């Protein structure tokens, strides 16, 4: 019979009902279920430590329920209670250590608050059952049906599983499954990213997810607050207050603000560990939350710029000095976390975007609210909005925060009650309302009025111990009201000490009132970064969601907006310092005059001396001699005012020029290197070992670093080669002018004119494109920059531009063009060498003149080959629209279509 019963009913309704004595009282069943929701065991429900699950006893019977239906209902309650209990256990493990990273502590605190709120729903329902005086008995079916009707009980069961998923995904995967050596930054980033992803998922679901949305909003906002406070101190004070190293960037304490590497190495992105790289699949491998990843470098740069501004204050004549000093905070006096919380409340409650209104640093606190309270259709102000009331109250309390509670106000004869925080006795702060109600009791509450001990009558105690009838000679009472056993002087000092103690600790016997679920923000006076956030979080627990906004929208409007505004604000001020106080363009102008040889006769004497040395075959290997010549050239120049001091520019000679990193690497060999001067100290390569170092002053060295000086030096060496080619050609022309009557000299003259025309045309191209046009682009880029990073990018683009236009960049096309240009410059030296031979003692010998004539023919042939190759490459690139800056070079070297026709044919 039992086998057939189980087959057809699945173990459900029995053929015979159990006896009345075996039925379970439904009142006990309902109470047990509600107590289980609160994490408590009962006679029916118990916690299984082995399985980590709430169980219920077998043999539970209810008259109108089959066991299958009853167990199905009880399983729902036990599963929800198990989820809440597991959350409680995980939070207890997290909260066990004394020192926790702020983000993890905030996450645990917010989750604990939400867990307690859910359990309080069960407690409230149990209290209703216990206080019910009616004849209706609560049933388990009624409790189950109320889950779908009552919002609180619905949140209790449906939210339990979701809360467990949030907590387990946020901390179990990274905090419990690995050793305790997980860096705090990785724990924090994992928690924030997990909440962000879960928030996105819940927003995509349609309907019925209001409670889960509110839960995630509460936990995300509360967990973000420590992170935002650290960003606040970094962006608005220039201080990295991160003792637990949670932030996505790390400070290098070995780099001081005066170091040249301050901008590049003082604060850097913190790399993610291997576990986070695998789990998050990040491309950059940086420990940074998703929502600020795009502006992470901008945040770091803004804080460093703030430090630079603080370290070198504005000069008295600077336009932005007063503006920056008067506005440490640009959020109407609010901190970043306070602005974030109020903006969240305004956005999710009424869809109000208040960022632009709060971001008005010129507004003072008394009038900052007036622009935000917009009139309604009927003309009435919308002051009933929660966020407006809170903002108005916050700004009012910030205005009054200057009236601090001092020790003088705490004296026994105080005339009025303090209105702010009492650091000496927090109880006085909490009990201000009580003290206002009983001013007559202030005197009796002071310590000096009740410092002496009252009479100690221990007669009844003595009788109980000794069991005498009072016949003992021992005094029946001890009275200390007449004073202690010391002299009058000591007694007076005691009274003075009592007065001093009363000043330091007023009202020592005062106790605050007790209230259930009393918010700390309601009893304590206003405190930055805590009062507003506490009120907003309490409000989120009870508000009704209207629209499920995406977390990206909330964070963009309520947090990222302010970060970008502050970054722009700091950027404008650092650029103002760059251009006015630090005079960046003047310093770059000095580099332009020195390294681009545009300073008139500043380097004229130096170049003449070293060119003559190279003509004589004297190697340039004496640093002292070269620097002496350089200092003489600068001192005797009419442009010596360009340099504040002559010793700021130093020249040195590399010992191994072939392996020097300063020498630009060409991908193709110079196929037209002159035969006679190749490898000799007097050739064009003799200038490569020279290295000119300019001592850049701080803070300009943040922009013009060692790498930038290396690029400047490459351009200078190239221009020196052009200068030397021009120098030897002009010197050769003087010699040929003297011998212009001979037939041979006419051929030399034509070749010399071709070479000189090319060198002059190329030099003019360099001066137009590099010295003037590129400089104008640099000035425009620096002026239009919005931050120090953008100014650096403009300078780097300027360097790349002059390197590219001088064909010093190590790319294939640049190498081909540079090899032919270097070959032509080398041909100028070869022609000069031929002319030296003709002007020497062997110029009259027929064999020497014949050999020189053949050499001139070879030089001319190589020159024509180089010109044809150059014009073909340049014309092809110009035809396809690449390298438009080369059009000026083609026009100059092919003047009047001398080498190539307008149709592109080589003549």
């Amino acid at each position: 019979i039992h086998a057939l019963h189980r087959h057809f009913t699945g173990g459900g309704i029995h053929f015979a009902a159990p006896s009345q004595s075996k039925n379970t009282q439904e009142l006990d069943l309902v109470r047990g279920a509600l107590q289980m929701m609160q994490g408590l065991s009962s006679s029916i429900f118990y916690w299984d430590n082995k399985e980590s699950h709430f169980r219920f006893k077998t043999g539970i019977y209810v008259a109108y329920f089959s066991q299958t239906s009853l167990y199905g209902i009880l399983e729902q309650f036990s599963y929800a209670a198990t989820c809440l209990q597991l959350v409680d256990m995980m939070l207890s493990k997290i909260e066990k250590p004394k020192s926790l990273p702020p983000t993890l502590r905030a996450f645990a605190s917010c989750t604990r608050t939400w867990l307690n709120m859910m359990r309080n729903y069960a407690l409230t329902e149990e209290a209703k059952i216990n206080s019910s005086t009616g004849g209706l008995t609560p049933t388990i079916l009624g409790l189950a049906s109320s889950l779908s009707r009552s919002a609180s009980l619905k949140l209790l069961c449906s939210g339990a599983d979701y809360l467990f998923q949030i907590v387990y995904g946020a901390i179990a995967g990274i905090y419990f499954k690995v050793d305790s050596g997980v860096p705090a930054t990785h724990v924090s980033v994992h928690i924030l990213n997990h909440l962000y992803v879960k928030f996105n998922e819940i927003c995509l679901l349609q309907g019925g997810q209001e409670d889960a949305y509110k839960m995630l909003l509460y936990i995300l906002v509360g967990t973000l607050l420590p992170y935002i406070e650290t960003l606040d101190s970094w962006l608005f004070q220039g201080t990295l207050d991160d003792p637990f190293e949670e932030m996505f960037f790390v400070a290098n304490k070995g780099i001081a603000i005066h170091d040249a590497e301050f901008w590049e190495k003082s604060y850097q992105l913190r790399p993610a560990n291997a576990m986070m790289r695998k789990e998050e699949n990040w491309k950059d491998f940086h420990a940074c939350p998703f929502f600020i990843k795009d502006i992470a470098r901008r945040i770091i740069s803004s804080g460093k710029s703030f430090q630079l501004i603080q370290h070198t204050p504005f000069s008295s004549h600077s336009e932005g000095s007063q503006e920056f000093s008067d506005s440490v905070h640009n959020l109407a006096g609010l901190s970043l976390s306070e602005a974030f919380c109020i903006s969240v409340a305004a956005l999710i409650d009424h869809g109000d975007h208040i960022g632009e209104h709060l971001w008005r640093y010129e507004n003072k606190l008394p009038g900052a609210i007036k622009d935000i309270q917009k009139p309604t259709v009927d003309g009435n102000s919308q002051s009933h909005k929660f966020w407006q009331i809170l903002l108005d109250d916050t700004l009012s309390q910030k205005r009054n925060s200057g009236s601090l509670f001092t020790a003088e106000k705490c004296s026994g004869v105080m005339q009025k009650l303090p209105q702010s925080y009492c650091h000496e006795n927090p109880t006085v702060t909490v009990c201000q309302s009580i003290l206002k109600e009983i001013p007559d009791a202030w005197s009796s509450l002071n310590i000096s009025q009740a410092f002496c001990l009252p009479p100690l009558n221990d007669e009844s105690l003595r009788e109980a111990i000794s069991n005498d009838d009072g016949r003992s000679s021992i005094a029946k009472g001890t009275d200390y009201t007449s004073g202690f056993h010391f002299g009058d002087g000591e007694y007076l000092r005691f009274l003075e000490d009592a007065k001093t103690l009363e000043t330091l600790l007023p009202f020592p016997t005062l106790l605050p009132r007790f209230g259930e679920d009393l918010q700390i923000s309601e009893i304590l006076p206003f405190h930055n970064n805590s009062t507003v956030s506490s009120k907003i979080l309490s409000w989120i627990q009870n508000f009704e969601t209207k629209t499920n906004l995406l977390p990206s929208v909330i964070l963009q409007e309520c947090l990222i907006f302010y970060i970008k505004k502050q970054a722009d604000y700091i950027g404008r001020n650092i650029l103002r310092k760059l251009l006015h106080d630090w005079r960046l363009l003047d310093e770059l102008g000095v580099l332009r005059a020195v390294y681009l040889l545009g300073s008139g006769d500043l380097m004229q004497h130096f170049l003449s001396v070293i060119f003559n040395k190279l003509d004589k075959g004297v190697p340039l290997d004496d640093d002292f001699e070269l620097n002496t010549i350089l200092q003489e050239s600068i001192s005797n120049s009419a442009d010596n005012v360009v340099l504040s001091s002559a010793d700021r520019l130093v020249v040195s000679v590399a010992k191994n020029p072939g392996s020097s990193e300063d020498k630009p690497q060409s991908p193709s060999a110079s196929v037209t290197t002159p035969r006679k001067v190749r490898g000799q100290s007097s050739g064009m390569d003799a200038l490569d070992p020279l290295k000119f170092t300019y001592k850049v002053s701080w803070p300009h060295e943040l922009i013009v670093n060692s790498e930038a000086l290396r690029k400047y030096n490459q351009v200078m060496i190239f221009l020196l080669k052009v200068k030397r080619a021009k120098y030897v050609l002009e010197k050769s022309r003087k010699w040929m002018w003297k011998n212009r009557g001979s037939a041979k000299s006419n051929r030399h003259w034509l070749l010399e004119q071709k070479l000189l025309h090319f060198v002059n045309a190329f030099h003019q191209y360099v001066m137009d494109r590099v010295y003037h046009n590129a400089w104008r682009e640099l000035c425009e880029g620096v002026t239009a920059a919005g931050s120090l990073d953008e100014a650096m990018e403009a300078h780097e683009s300027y360097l790349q531009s002059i390197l590219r236009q001088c064909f010093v960049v190590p790319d294939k096309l640049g190498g081909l063009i540079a090899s032919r240009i270097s070959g032509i410059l080398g041909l100028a030296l070869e022609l000069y060498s031929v002319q030296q031979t003709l002007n020497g003692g062997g110029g009259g010998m027929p064999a020497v003149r014949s050999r020189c004539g053949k050499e001139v023919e070879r030089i001319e042939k190589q020159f024509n080959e180089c010109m044809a190759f150059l014009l073909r490459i340049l014309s092809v690139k110009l035809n396809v629209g690449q390298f438009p800056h080369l059009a000026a070079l083609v026009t100059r070297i092919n003047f009047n279509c001398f080498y190539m026709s307008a149709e592109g044919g080589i003549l």
Side-chain angles (χ1 to χ4, degrees):
I1 293 175
H2 286 293
L4 291 174
H5 161 69
R6 287 194 298 271
H7 177 72
F8 288 105
T9 65
I13 301 175
H14 286 265
F15 295 117
S19 63
Q20 188 68 24
S21 61
K22 292 187 178 296
N23 282 341
T24 305
Q25 295 293 329
E26 281 201 81
L27 181 59
D28 296 337
L29 195 61
V30 172
R31 284 177 176 170
L34 292 174
Q35 291 173 1
M36 179 176 59
M37 290 292 186
Q38 302 170 49
L40 305 174
S41 298
S42 63
S43 59
I44 300 176
F45 302 93
Y46 65 95
W47 176 255
D48 187 350
N49 289 318
K50 185 177 180 181
E51 298 292 335
S52 297
H53 200 285
F54 266 111
R55 307 290 184 186
F56 49 86
K57 294 183 178 180
T58 58
I60 300 176
Y61 301 100
V62 176
Y64 56 90
F65 267 120
S66 66
Q67 282 189 298
T68 303
S69 301
L70 178 61
Y71 288 177
I73 294 176
L74 296 182
E75 283 289 349
Q76 296 179 15
F77 288 104
S78 64
Y79 178 75
T82 299
C83 291
L84 296 179
Q85 186 68 10
L86 290 176
V87 170
D88 193 353
M89 294 171 61
M90 284 189 287
L91 294 179
S92 298
K93 290 181 181 179
I94 294 175
E95 297 165 345
K96 188 176 181 180
K98 295 182 180 179
S99 179
L100 281 177
T103 300
L104 180 61
R105 183 173 61 248
F107 173 77
S109 176
C110 292
T111 309
R112 173 72 69 184
T113 301
W114 199 266
L115 173 65
N116 294 337
M117 183 188 70
M118 297 177 69
R119 284 181 165 176
N120 285 338
Y121 292 150
L123 178 61
T124 303
E125 194 70 18
E126 183 185 5
K128 290 180 181 179
I129 294 175
N130 294 333
S131 61
S132 176
T133 58
L136 296 177
T137 303
T139 63
I140 194 67
L141 183 60
L143 180 61
S145 61
S146 64
L147 293 177
S148 59
R149 298 193 308 269
S150 174
S152 59
L153 292 179
K154 182 179 179 181
L155 173 63
L156 179 60
C157 283
S158 64
D161 178 51
Y162 198 72
L163 181 63
F164 172 74
Q165 294 180 27
I166 293 174
V167 176
Y168 185 82
I171 60 177
I174 192 171
Y175 193 73
F176 295 140
K177 292 185 179 180
V178 295
D179 57 6
S180 58
V182 179
T185 179
H186 299 146
V187 176
S188 304
V189 170
H190 179 81
I191 292 175
L192 294 177
N193 287 342
H194 178 75
L195 294 176
Y196 185 83
V197 171
K198 283 292 183 181
F199 210 154
N200 264 326
E201 293 175 355
I202 203 66
C203 290
L204 299 177
L205 300 179
Q206 298 295 329
Q209 301 296 330
E210 291 80 7
D211 295 331
Y213 179 86
K214 188 162 58 174
M215 177 197 303
L216 271 171
L217 177 64
Y218 178 87
I219 297 177
L220 178 61
V221 171
T223 307
L224 268 175
L225 290 177
Y227 214 82
I228 296 176
E229 291 174 12
T230 306
L231 289 176
D232 187 313
S233 63
W234 175 249
L235 291 172
F236 292 86
Q237 301 174 20
T239 303
L240 180 58
D241 187 9
D242 187 24
F244 288 89
E245 297 186 350
E246 283 193 309
M247 296 305 292
F248 55 89
F249 59 98
V250 61
N252 185 353
K253 297 181 180 179
I255 303 296
I257 195 171
H258 277 108
D259 294 343
E261 298 177 334
F262 169 76
W263 191 261
E264 296 178 355
K265 298 183 179 180
S266 59
Y267 296 91
Q268 295 177 324
L269 287 169
R270 191 190 305 272
N273 59 12
M275 177 184 62
M276 294 195 69
R277 297 178 189 178
K278 181 178 179 181
E279 291 184 359
E280 306 296 345
N281 195 22
W282 288 354
K283 296 180 180 179
D284 296 343
F285 302 139
H286 292 136
C288 181
F290 291 148
F291 47 88
I292 58 174
K293 190 176 181 181
D294 294 338
I295 59 172
R297 297 184 184 276
R298 191 175 180 186
I299 291 174
I300 299 176
S301 299
S302 298
K304 291 188 291 187
S305 298
F306 199 107
Q307 292 183 351
L308 290 175
I309 295 174
Q310 286 182 319
H311 186 74
T312 54
F314 284 96
S315 60
S316 58
H317 62 275
S318 179
E319 299 176 1
S321 58
Q322 189 65 26
E323 176 186 350
F324 194 85
S325 61
D326 288 346
S327 179
V328 177
H329 266 288
N330 297 335
L331 299 173
L334 302 174
S335 66
L336 184 59
S337 61
E338 292 170 347
F340 168 72
C341 289
I342 294 177
S343 299
V344 168
L347 183 63
I348 64 176
D349 193 18
H350 294 88
D352 295 336
H353 301 265
I354 63 174
E356 289 291 349
H357 298 281
L358 290 181
W359 188 263
R360 291 186 178 179
Y361 56 85
E362 69 272 12
N363 285 349
K364 301 304 179 182
L365 292 180
I369 189 64
K370 66 180 184 303
D371 293 331
I372 309 176
Q373 291 179 332
K374 300 179 180 179
T376 58
V377 177
D378 55 1
N380 296 324
S381 177
Q382 297 177 337
S383 58
H384 63 278
K385 293 182 179 180
F386 167 75
W387 67 266
Q388 288 181 338
I389 298 174
L390 178 60
L391 178 59
D392 195 8
D393 182 61
T394 300
L395 297 180
S396 300
Q397 294 190 66
K398 281 181 175 287
R399 289 197 303 269
N400 300 327
S401 61
S403 56
L404 296 178
F405 194 80
T406 59
E408 290 76 12
K409 296 179 182 179
C410 299
S411 62
V413 292
M414 63 177 66
Q415 298 299 322
K416 67 175 183 177
L417 193 68
Q419 300 297 324
S420 188
Y421 187 73
C422 178
H423 300 276
E424 297 84 1
N425 191 355
T427 305
V428 176
T429 304
V430 177
C431 299
Q432 288 185 17
S433 59
I434 304 176
L435 293 175
K436 289 180 181 178
E437 296 173 0
I438 51 172
D440 297 336
W442 292 1
S443 177
S444 60
L445 288 173
N446 286 329
I447 192 172
S448 61
Q449 302 298 323
F451 191 82
C452 297
L453 294 175
L456 178 62
N457 192 350
D458 51 5
E459 181 178 354
S460 58
L461 180 63
R462 186 178 295 107
E463 290 178 355
I465 295 176
S466 60
N467 197 19
D468 59 11
D469 298 330
R471 296 186 297 272
S472 175
S473 61
I474 301 176
K476 295 184 178 181
T478 304
D479 191 356
Y480 288 104
T481 55
S482 60
F484 295 92
H485 301 289
F486 43 66
D488 294 339
E490 295 180 359
Y491 180 67
L492 293 177
R493 285 195 298 271
F494 163 76
L495 294 180
E496 292 178 0
D497 293 342
K499 288 289 186 181
T500 304
L501 183 60
E502 174 188 318
T503 303
L504 297 176
L505 189 65
F507 309 142
T509 60
L510 188 64
L511 294 177
R513 291 174 178 173
F514 174 78
E516 284 286 350
D517 299 328
L518 190 62
Q519 296 292 330
I520 194 68
S521 59
E522 300 296 333
I523 58 176
L524 288 177
F526 181 83
H527 195 276
N528 290 335
N529 296 328
S530 62
T531 301
V532 174
S533 59
S534 176
K535 291 181 178 180
I536 291 294
L537 290 175
S538 301
W539 173 80
I540 291 177
Q541 294 180 6
N542 303 311
F543 94 106
E544 296 294 332
T545 58
K546 300 176 182 178
T547 304
N548 291 356
L549 295 175
L550 289 170
S552 57
V553 176
I554 295 176
L555 294 175
Q556 176 63 37
E557 294 291 333
C558 305
L559 177 62
I560 307 300
F561 173 83
Y562 300 117
I563 293 177
K564 290 183 177 180
K565 282 288 186 179
Q566 179 66 3
D568 293 341
Y569 176 72
I570 295 175
R572 290 194 303 270
N573 283 276
I574 194 69
L575 261 295
R576 188 177 292 115
K577 288 186 68 68
L578 277 175
L579 298 178
H580 295 87
D581 292 5
W582 296 341
R583 308 188 70 83
L584 173 64
L585 291 180
D586 291 349
E587 188 75 2
L588 295 179
V590 174
L591 294 172
R592 171 176 174 248
V594 172
Y595 283 96
L596 302 186
L597 306 180
S599 60
D601 63 343
L602 185 67
M603 303 281 290
Q604 185 65 34
H605 174 67
F606 175 79
L607 297 181
S608 299
V609 173
I610 64 171
F611 290 164
N612 286 330
K613 283 180 173 290
L614 292 176
D615 288 348
K616 299 175 183 179
V618 179
L620 304 177
D621 56 359
D622 191 342
D623 290 355
F624 179 78
E625 181 183 7
L626 290 176
N627 280 286
T628 302
I629 299 171
L630 180 61
Q631 301 306 317
E632 292 178 355
S633 178
I634 296 174
S635 302
N636 298 328
S637 171
D639 291 339
N640 57 1
V641 293
V642 173
L643 293 174
S644 58
S645 60
D647 58 351
R648 294 187 66 181
L649 183 63
V650 179
V651 61
S652 59
V653 180
K655 300 303 180 183
N656 298 313
S659 60
S660 175
E661 64 176 5
D662 293 337
K663 182 177 180 180
Q665 299 296 325
S666 175
S668 61
S670 179
V671 297
T672 57
T673 303
R675 293 179 299 174
K676 291 188 177 181
V677 296
R678 181 180 296 175
Q680 297 180 6
S681 63
S682 58
M684 282 295 181
D685 293 341
L687 295 172
D688 290 338
L690 296 181
K691 181 179 179 180
F692 294 87
T693 304
Y694 178 75
K695 296 180 181 179
V696 185
S697 61
W698 190 92
H700 301 115
E701 59 184 351
L702 300 177
I703 298 178
V704 186
N705 51 22
S706 58
E707 179 63 20
L709 290 178
R710 186 184 70 83
K711 295 177 181 179
Y712 273 115
N713 199 76
Q714 288 182 5
V715 176
M716 186 175 186
I717 296 300
F718 175 77
L719 294 180
L720 287 181
K721 293 179 180 180
V722 177
K723 283 277 190 180
R724 188 187 179 198
K726 186 177 180 179
Y727 173 82
V728 297
L729 287 174
E730 290 178 348
K731 192 173 182 180
S732 177
R733 184 176 56 176
K734 294 179 182 178
W735 292 339
M736 287 187 292
W737 182 261
K738 298 178 182 179
N739 302 323
R740 61 185 181 275
S742 63
K744 292 291 184 182
S745 64
N746 292 333
R747 188 184 188 95
H748 293 180
W749 182 275
L750 181 59
L751 179 58
E752 190 273 341
Q753 288 297 316
K754 289 181 180 181
L755 287 171
L756 187 59
H757 167 73
F758 175 85
V759 173
N760 285 333
F762 186 80
H763 182 262
Q764 192 62 42
Y765 153 79
V766 170
M767 298 305 293
D768 288 345
R769 296 296 308 181
V770 176
Y771 191 77
H772 296 291
N773 291 1
W775 173 255
R776 186 184 69 251
E777 294 173 0
L778 171 64
C779 294
E780 294 174 354
V782 171
T783 305
S787 64
L788 188 55
D789 274 332
E790 293 182 7
M792 292 179 175
E793 291 175 1
H795 180 252
E796 181 63 25
S797 299
Y798 166 73
L799 286 177
Q800 293 299 326
S801 176
I802 62 178
L803 287 173
R804 183 176 63 254
Q805 294 174 22
C806 291
F807 309 104
V808 187
V809 289
D811 57 66
K812 186 175 182 180
L813 176 63
L816 291 174
I817 298 176
S819 65
R820 267 58 183 185
I821 294 176
S822 298
I824 294 176
L825 298 180
L827 292 175
L829 286 182
E830 288 197 28
L831 182 63
Y832 175 72
S833 178
V834 170
Q835 195 62 40
Q836 275 185 320
T837 303
L838 292 175
N839 290 345
M845 300 175 62
V848 173
R849 288 198 303 269
S850 176
R851 188 171 62 253
C852 289
K854 292 180 181 180
E855 192 68 21
V856 170
E857 291 178 1
R858 181 190 61 81
I859 294 173
E860 184 177 16
K861 181 180 178 181
Q862 291 186 0
F863 174 76
N864 292 332
E865 291 175 354
C866 290
M867 289 296 297
F869 184 82
L870 276 177
L871 291 174
R872 286 194 183 98
I873 291 181
L874 297 178
S875 60
V876 169
K877 294 302 178 182
L878 287 176
N879 288 337
V880 297
Q882 296 183 6
F883 308 104
H885 61 276
L886 299 180
L889 178 59
V890 174
T891 302
R892 291 181 182 277
I893 64 177
N894 190 39
F895 181 74
N896 205 20
C897 297
F898 184 80
Y899 296 103
M900 186 175 63
S901 65
E903 291 77 16
I906 302 298
L907 302 179

